[in-house]
Amino acid sequence: MGTLEGRTGGVETVTVRPSAQGSLAKTPFAHLLLYLQARRLSGTLAIWASDGKSGQDRILFEQGLLTAMRPVEPAKTLYAALMPLFAREDGPYGFYDGQNLLGQSGILREPIDIHTLLSRGVRVHVQEALVDSVLERVRGRQLKLRSDFPLERLELNQRELVLIEPLRGVGASVDTLVAAGALPVRDAKRTLYLLTLVKAVEASEGRGTVPIDGSIPVDVESFRPGSHSVLPRSDSVAPRSILPPISGATPLSGAPRPANENALPSSPPPGLPAADEARWHELIALHKRIDALTHYELLGVPTSASGQEAQTAYFALVKKYHPDRLPASFAPLARVAQAMFERMTEANETLNHAEQRADYDKQVQGGGGTREAERLMRNVLESAVEFQKAEVHLRRRDFAQALDFVRSALAKNPDEADYHALLAWILHLTHTGPDAPFDDILRALDKALKANARHERAHYYRGVILKRLKRDNEAVRHFRAAAELNPHNVDAAREVRLASMRRDSKPPAAGQNVLSRLFNKK
């Protein structure tokens, strides 16, 4: 969707138009965040001020996760920079799919928890009419707190916890909780709105509870990737047919790309000078392992290096690898060089900012500080949430959903014994006939026990499956292992006891009387 527009420093600057746009008057910032997260979109969200001031707050998303921001007004932390946007009731926004529009300076980066961010933002400001409209959807229904929701991430205070305490038991309605007086009406509604927004509560339906309809009120018609709909009218912003293009776009590394775009040239162009050919190979080699490097390793400095030393190393790398300094023959590596430059700049800025460096050093000391570690941690956290969802759906006997969630958890974290064991159990419950996929079930349990040989549930599940297959001697060994690992596993203990009773009730073999069998019993 971009066009070339002029040159900056000898480099063509790409301008792009929004792939989707709308107005905060129709889509509040909190709802916009949840929309982007739910759809795991990657790109830049640009938000213009409603009073016509120049510039935009630009927020970068990668697979729905808020990762960085370049705010119009300086701020010390990313959380602090985002707070004013919750109070903004109007102003146009544009989403630039697959584009990083943050530039190179004034960027704030830190891990952002969407639930914590929403909780803090709702405390700053929330439209009362919006609160009422959301709560109206669940008014009159009994609400219950989801047992699998990480409530601590909402940073609720003591009075708010008192307000929602009834939701842990039999449940309560919005009106009952508001009338209880644990909080002023406005604060009580705000808290319940937050719980509803982040899907922390379920609503009664029939004899059980079901998730509240989590559809996020978003102007979906205007927020459709690839669309260029007319910007909604508002009193404070003159209507425009389309948001103005923004320059300086670079493709976002985490955004979807054509299948062949990530393929690197297998060899440099013929006729390169020896020095350039060496630089070509160095650039490709560095690119291949960049996600496994810390900022220190990328810049080639020790962790004890001063900020000035880090900056000196940074400038040396810029002279060598900056896209502007590469000869024309390096055009096939332009994307690689640009990504390298962004990462080197990020490393330099982090190591020259005292607070950011202190936080980053803690990550490095804990074995993190690399993109690879970030992805691994993200996968671990996301898989844990999906595993919890699988367990919830299993308790509801919604086997199809449970199977989807546990498979998704395994795709992100294939080394977790719990996930393999639960997959096997769900397959067992959903295939009760002789045509059950026993090979797949046993293979999943093998993986669980390989990851953790003392996994009680895997031993018990394997015993159940082997018993179905009439392999009783093997089954009882696993039942016994489960009972020894957990003496409170009454099901495993019962199976061991029944197996012992069956063995003792068998008639003696030929030539063996009862007394000799007892004395020879092991």
Side-chain angles (χ1 to χ4, degrees):
M1 305 300 294
T3 57
L4 293 179
E5 182 181 270
R7 291 176 176 267
T8 303
V11 179
E12 288 180 319
T13 301
V14 178
T15 62
V16 293
R17 295 187 181 278
S19 52
Q21 59 184 296
S23 169
L24 295 182
K26 299 185 72 172
T27 305
F29 182 60
H31 295 220
L32 194 52
L33 288 175
L34 286 171
Y35 187 90
L36 293 169
Q37 183 201 41
R39 283 150 185 79
R40 300 193 175 197
L41 298 180
S42 297
T44 301
L45 175 67
I47 302 177
W48 280 258
S50 59
D51 56 8
K53 290 183 179 179
S54 61
Q56 314 89 29
D57 288 294
R58 303 185 186 186
I59 308 169
L60 187 66
F61 291 83
E62 296 186 49
Q63 297 298 307
L65 298 176
L66 196 162
T67 61
M69 176 183 183
R70 193 185 81 184
V72 172
E73 298 295 333
K76 290 185 177 181
T77 68
L78 183 48
Y79 276 105
L82 290 163
M83 288 302 105
L85 297 178
F86 287 90
R88 196 175 296 178
E89 296 187 2
D90 201 356
Y93 66 77
F95 185 75
Y96 299 79
D97 188 54
Q99 300 294 331
N100 180 348
L101 294 164
L102 298 195
Q104 304 301 333
S105 61
I107 300 173
L108 296 173
R109 300 179 189 273
E110 67 178 294
I112 292 292
D113 184 296
I114 188 68
H115 295 102
T116 303
L117 175 64
L118 289 169
S119 180
R120 294 180 185 180
V122 167
R123 295 174 195 279
V124 169
H125 178 82
V126 63
Q127 301 173 42
E128 292 187 16
L130 179 63
V131 171
D132 289 338
S133 68
V134 170
L135 293 182
E136 187 62 33
R137 297 159 59 194
V138 295
R139 179 160 279 115
R141 302 172 70 183
Q142 289 289 106
L143 304 182
K144 291 189 68 174
L145 197 64
R146 279 176 45 201
S147 60
D148 62 331
F149 186 84
L151 198 62
E152 68 279 0
R153 289 158 62 183
L154 296 181
E155 299 180 335
L156 300 180
N157 61 38
Q158 192 59 42
R159 295 186 67 188
E160 290 166 338
L161 290 172
V162 170
L163 169 75
I164 68 172
E165 185 59 29
L167 300 180
R168 299 179 187 273
V170 295
S173 67
V174 169
D175 292 337
T176 299
L177 293 171
V178 172
L183 283 174
V185 171
R186 180 176 177 274
D187 292 340
K189 286 185 174 181
R190 182 203 65 200
T191 302
L192 296 174
Y193 160 79
L194 174 64
L195 294 177
T196 304
L197 197 64
V198 300
K199 303 182 186 178
V201 289
E202 299 172 315
S204 61
E205 183 170 292
R207 296 184 177 181
T209 57
V210 296
I212 290 175
D213 176 14
S215 57
I216 303 164
V218 170
D219 181 20
V220 179
E221 281 305 309
S222 67
F223 204 106
R224 185 175 62 240
S227 70
H228 294 285
S229 57
V230 176
L231 187 69
R233 289 177 176 269
S234 70
D235 295 334
S236 56
V237 182
R240 287 173 283 181
S241 61
I242 192 166
L243 292 175
I246 292 182
S247 64
T250 59
L252 191 61
S253 58
R257 300 179 180 280
N260 62 348
E261 188 175 344
N262 287 322
L264 296 177
S266 57
S267 59
L272 275 184
D276 284 345
E277 184 174 347
R279 182 163 50 158
W280 176 287
H281 290 300
E282 288 172 7
L283 183 56
I284 289 181
L286 191 58
H287 172 73
K288 287 181 177 179
R289 62 190 184 95
I290 191 171
D291 283 354
L293 300 178
T294 66
H295 291 339
Y296 296 102
E297 292 167 337
L298 177 59
L299 297 182
V301 299
T303 55
S304 58
S306 65
Q308 182 58 50
E309 289 172 329
Q311 191 167 60
T312 299
Y314 165 70
F315 285 134
L317 289 171
V318 167
K319 289 178 182 179
K320 193 172 185 179
Y321 297 124
H322 191 283
D324 289 357
R325 294 181 176 271
L326 295 176
S329 54
F330 276 62
L333 296 184
R335 179 179 59 82
V336 171
Q338 180 62 39
M340 287 290 302
F341 173 63
E342 291 177 6
R343 292 293 302 280
M344 291 186 297
T345 300
E346 177 188 346
N348 178 56
E349 290 178 350
T350 300
L351 299 186
N352 276 278
H353 188 288
E355 291 183 10
Q356 291 181 21
R357 181 168 180 170
D359 291 339
Y360 181 74
D361 283 344
K362 293 177 182 177
Q363 297 177 35
V364 174
Q365 292 165 8
T370 67
R371 291 289 174 88
E372 194 173 79
E374 289 176 8
R375 277 199 301 270
L376 178 61
M377 180 57 66
R378 187 181 304 166
N379 283 345
V380 168
L381 294 175
E382 290 180 355
S383 65
V385 171
E386 290 175 344
F387 174 70
Q388 292 174 347
K389 291 179 179 178
E391 289 185 311
V392 169
H393 284 285
L394 180 60
R395 288 195 293 270
R396 297 175 182 159
R397 302 191 70 77
D398 183 354
F399 298 135
Q401 281 291 322
L403 195 59
D404 286 344
F405 277 119
V406 78
R407 281 176 169 159
S408 179
L410 275 169
K412 295 174 181 176
N413 187 8
D415 299 324
E416 180 56 56
D418 285 345
Y419 304 171
H420 289 291
L422 187 62
L423 171 63
W425 192 241
I426 295 172
L427 291 174
H428 158 69
L429 294 176
T430 52
H431 297 83
T432 57
D435 59 342
F438 291 111
D439 288 344
D440 292 339
I441 295 173
L442 290 174
R443 191 178 300 114
L445 292 171
D446 285 342
K447 291 179 180 179
L449 290 171
K450 182 178 180 180
N452 180 5
R454 295 177 55 81
H455 196 284
E456 171 215 344
R457 301 306 296 176
H459 277 294
Y460 174 73
Y461 294 158
R462 191 172 180 85
V464 171
I465 302 306
L466 291 171
K467 185 179 177 181
R468 282 183 66 181
L469 293 170
K470 310 299 184 184
R471 293 158 60 177
D472 293 343
N473 289 337
E474 295 176 72
V476 75
R477 287 201 298 270
H478 287 284
F479 286 136
R480 184 175 291 111
E484 290 173 353
L485 289 167
N486 179 13
H488 299 292
N489 189 330
V490 295
D491 294 325
R494 182 178 63 251
E495 291 292 346
V496 173
R497 188 168 60 252
L498 289 174
S500 178
M501 292 170 61
R502 284 194 296 268
R503 182 191 61 196
D504 291 344
S505 64
K506 288 182 179 179
Q512 181 187 37
N513 59 34
V514 175
L515 289 178
S516 64
R517 191 180 68 180
L518 289 176
F519 283 118
N520 291 328
K521 189 192 312 182
K522 294 182 180 179

